[in-house]
Amino acid sequence: RCPGGGGVGVLRPVPRGQRGLERSPRNRWHRPGPRRPWGERGAPLVGLRRRPEQPCFSNLPLPASSVTDEKFAWTLIRRVTLAPGDASLVVSGCPRLFRRHHGLCCCHDSWVVTKLCWNHLYSSYFPETDVQYFASPYSYKVVSAAKVCGAADESPSVKRLHLLIADKDFSFKAGQWIDFFIPGVSVVGGFSICSSPRLLEQERMIELAVKYTNHPPALWIHNQCTLDSEVAVRVGGEFFFDPQPADASRNLVLIAGGVGINPLLSILRHAADLHRERANKGKGYEVGTIKLFYSAKNTSELLFKKNILDLVNEFPEKIACSLHVTKQTTQISAELKPYITEGRITEKEIRDHISEQTLFYICGPPPMTDFFSKQLENSHVPKEHICFEKWW
């Protein structure tokens, strides 16, 4: 996304070794040379012309064979300081190519967009960066108008937002996020949906919970957003729970840290909707048992605790939760006390729920996500049974 005007670059593979950019009447940036196969290593993608009327990456001619991977992040990079000995560098006025990675394109104003492996993004390769994260270019292409129809404080640092989306083409799967486009704000927000897809089907509404940070979209939500404010949204993400009626029943273990509860609450609510449907109609997907482990600093930062306990009480044989607080300084209420454990979620608690029928969904700070995903792999849980989302 070109940061100055919010435009879109049409992308073309470029052969390695070609140097110099040439101007043409139609293309503001052009690198000559024959095409090479899409995504081949050494074939970076170079932006051509801008289309200011289009939102970021909504019209890119990306191949249907492209596959997103939750272990990768599409990233806008402006300033990067690499580890000693690596000459690849992005500096003002002189963008150079990262030959380590696929899917890279140069945009104007010296920005580079690339698909980086999380291991590289959080490693010594990039000790200092100035980046913006956003949904993959192959995310859902529907960009829909939305109107703020409700807002409330969920905790001292988190605001809950309800958005009304009239567009019938807009849909999402439990666990996915949205790109959040705000008029007058050049930075695109990215927030996980915490409501169930059923709420959208019935009321054309989705729910977000946004933590206060200095990120411009979060600042706008906390300081400027009002009822009837208009924005635009687009769904993205490969972290979701979307079983089909004929699929085998699975147990779920949901592991959340802080505001990482958002996509997992969406999954929990969706599982509850599926169980209600099965109980009322006698058909549909059969949900197994669900265990939620949720850790926060204190009980005031445990988001949606009333909603979670309501589901636990509605389905006591299906849903259970263990709420953890790490820095509690006040007395815990009698209502919460049976569910509260002081201290972090432990490896043993998770290991007790390992089985061939169990899927694990993890969302929280990257160190927490890395720890539990690695522990599960070490316990011989198949990788396809471990799903995780890193937020930043």
Side-chain angles (χ1 to χ4, degrees), residues 122-308:
Y122 289 99
S123 74
S124 60
Y125 284 125
F126 306 108
E128 181 184 348
T129 60
D130 175 8
V131 302
Q132 175 189 346
Y133 306 98
F134 58 97
S136 158
Y138 357 105
S139 63
Y140 294 60
K141 292 186 177 181
V142 176
V143 179
S144 303
K147 182 180 289 189
V148 177
C149 60
D153 292 332
E154 179 61 29
S155 81
S157 62
V158 175
K159 177 168 280 191
R160 192 170 71 247
L161 210 64
H162 284 88
L163 300 178
L164 187 64
I165 304 173
D167 184 359
K168 296 296 177 65
D169 291 330
F170 179 89
S171 64
F172 75 97
K173 299 173 183 177
Q176 289 187 306
W177 74 75
I178 58 168
D179 282 330
F180 195 84
F181 302 93
I182 305 167
V185 178
S186 61
V187 180
V188 179
F191 306 115
S192 292
I193 302 169
C194 56
S195 53
S196 167
R198 189 65 53 88
L199 180 66
L200 179 66
E201 293 171 8
Q202 295 176 347
E203 303 182 30
R204 301 309 307 167
M205 192 182 300
I206 64 171
E207 186 177 4
L208 308 176
V210 180
K211 189 178 181 67
Y212 181 88
T213 67
N214 288 326
H215 191 55
L219 282 176
W220 181 87
I221 288 172
H222 278 263
N223 298 332
Q224 296 176 251
C225 178
T226 61
L227 288 180
D228 297 329
S229 291
E230 295 183 352
V231 296
V233 296
R234 179 183 57 210
V235 172
E238 296 300 318
F239 178 86
F240 57 79
F241 176 63
D242 184 39
Q244 302 306 302
D247 289 349
S249 179
R250 296 285 191 181
N251 301 323
L252 300 180
V253 172
L254 312 177
I255 307 170
V259 77
I261 187 62
N262 283 349
L264 300 185
L265 181 64
S266 177
I267 291 173
L268 182 65
R269 286 169 160 171
H270 182 50
D273 287 336
L274 292 174
H275 186 64
R276 292 187 192 100
E277 182 181 23
R278 178 88 178 183
N280 294 335
K281 299 181 180 179
K283 61 180 182 179
Y285 179 76
E286 184 177 358
V287 182
T289 60
I290 305 166
K291 177 73 176 194
L292 170 66
F293 294 94
Y294 179 20
S295 177
K297 185 169 63 175
N298 52 54
T299 53
S300 66
E301 293 294 336
L302 285 170
L303 310 180
F304 302 104
K305 47 188 172 286
K306 182 181 185 306
N307 303 90
I308 292 168

Side-chain angles (χ1 to χ4, degrees), residues 14-22 30-32 99:
V14 173
R16 181 162 54 179
Q18 296 286 349
R19 296 189 178 184
L21 298 180
E22 297 180 0
H30 174 65
R31 186 185 290 269
R99 300 191 188 278

